Amino acid sequence: PPRSTLFPYTTLFRSIPTPSVASATRDPKFVPKNTSSYLTYSNRSAGISIQYPSSWQKQEGSAGGIVSFNVSAVPEMSFTVTGTQDFSGTAKTLNDFSQDAVTSLQQQLTDFKLLNSTNSTLSGYPAKKLVFTYKDNNLTPSKGMLQLTLVNRTGYGLLYRAEENKIGRAHV
């Protein structure tokens, strides 16, 4: 069975302290948004299930992730469920996971600049939210947000990215 259910990003953000341990428990006050009109994507081997608007275009195994979605009518804006990371047998914390992600982004993206790193939640679990700017492959100024969480010693990431001049065109 899936280890975690990730809901659309419109329900994910709420500031809370980040725990110092890697295995987290879901906030008992978490109530998912009514998503009855959404489609569901599930991947048992990755342990995820995510609901998304039917107007988004789904592409599995793209952009280095498990699944990506392009926001309808805005091809320069995407949402990706990154590959999961198994932290069994390690002492990795959410802060460690976040620092590793920043280091990786610095190495992979042109003109990467971390704007902020804050504590949040992802589907009711403690998470880190990283907001950054960079230049895409065409050297177009772009903005990204990476949400990271650890559930049962497995790391999950949700990556949102868009060309800076496209942010605000879609209702996201």
Side-chain angles (χ1 to χ4, degrees):
R3 292 171 285 197
S4 174
T5 301
L6 304 176
F7 290 92
Y9 59 92
T10 52
T11 64
L12 300 178
F13 312 118
R14 185 174 63 78
S15 294
I16 63 165
T18 300
S20 59
V21 295
S23 72
T25 56
R26 180 179 244 176
D27 182 341
K29 295 176 280 198
F30 174 72
V31 178
K33 177 182 175 185
N34 178 356
T35 56
S36 59
S37 65
Y38 283 25
L39 301 176
T40 299
Y41 169 81
S42 294
N43 182 316
R44 279 192 173 311
S45 63
I48 64 160
S49 179
I50 187 166
Q51 294 177 299
Y52 63 96
S54 59
S55 61
W56 289 11
Q57 293 122 8
K58 174 186 70 168
Q59 185 174 7
E60 292 186 74
S62 64
I66 296 168
V67 63
S68 289
F69 302 91
N70 277 36
V71 178
S72 56
V74 189
E76 304 86 356
M77 186 176 289
S78 68
F79 165 74
T80 302
V81 179
T82 64
T84 59
Q85 290 186 276
D86 183 2
F87 292 114
S88 298
T90 71
K92 285 270 186 185
T93 66
L94 184 54
N95 285 333
D96 295 334
F97 186 27
S98 176
Q99 284 300 320
D100 291 350
V102 168
T103 299
S104 179
L105 291 169
Q106 288 171 328
Q107 294 170 353
Q108 295 175 19
L109 299 177
T110 302
D111 293 342
F112 172 84
K113 181 180 177 187
L114 181 64
L115 301 178
N116 62 52
S117 172
T118 56
N119 298 329
S120 64
T121 62
L122 181 58
S123 194
Y125 292 97
K128 277 288 196 183
K129 178 171 76 169
L130 309 172
V131 178
F132 55 92
T133 58
Y134 66 100
K135 290 188 179 167
D136 70 11
N137 292 338
N138 298 319
L139 300 181
T140 303
S142 300
K143 193 168 189 178
M145 181 177 66
L146 179 61
Q147 286 271 127
L148 300 167
T149 192
L150 290 171
V151 179
N152 297 326
R153 314 263 334 132
T154 299
Y156 295 90
L158 300 179
L159 175 64
Y160 312 89
R161 59 184 167 197
E163 291 181 4
E164 281 190 306
N165 64 352
K166 305 298 182 196
I167 295 173
R169 266 186 53 191
H171 300 286
V172 293

